[in-house]
Amino acid sequence: MRKIILAAAIAGSALTLTACSEGTEDNAEMTADSMAADTEANLDAAGAEMEELGTETEMMADDVATDVDQAAAEAEADMQDETVAEAQAD
């Protein structure tokens, strides 16, 4: 009788341990999936931010180029006693 009770207790413990391990595996898998989704979302957001910064930088560079061209035309106009429009035409 003792052996039967002992065997039943061991079997019950094994089943409980197995069920617990499966739950832990499921939780670990859900955590890994969640981490992957978070990483993907963060990379997408970073990529969008970098594109926006690239566009802003390009616009700023265009503004600087326009300012430099204007300053060069004004300097040429002063040196050659002509209008800015004439200097820009050269």
Side-chain angles (χ1 to χ4, degrees):
M1 176 86 165
R2 283 182 155 178
K3 290 182 181 181
I4 294 174
I5 294 174
L6 185 58
I10 291 173
S13 297
L15 289 174
T16 303
L17 183 59
T18 302
C20 185
S21 294
E22 287 177 15
T24 302
E25 272 184 40
D26 290 345
N27 288 340
E29 186 176 337
M30 288 174 34
T31 300
D33 289 345
S34 178
M35 288 172 48
D38 288 348
T39 301
E40 183 178 1
N42 289 337
L43 288 174
D44 287 344
E49 186 69 25
M50 290 181 74
E51 284 182 31
E52 185 178 328
L53 288 173
T55 301
E56 289 177 13
T57 301
E58 184 178 351
M59 289 174 25
M60 290 171 53
D62 289 344
D63 290 345
V64 168
T66 301
D67 291 347
V68 168
D69 288 344
Q70 180 65 28
E74 290 172 3
E76 181 180 340
D78 285 345
M79 287 187 275
Q80 296 184 2
D81 291 327
E82 59 186 11
T83 65
V84 173
E86 291 172 332
Q88 287 175 335
D90 292 345

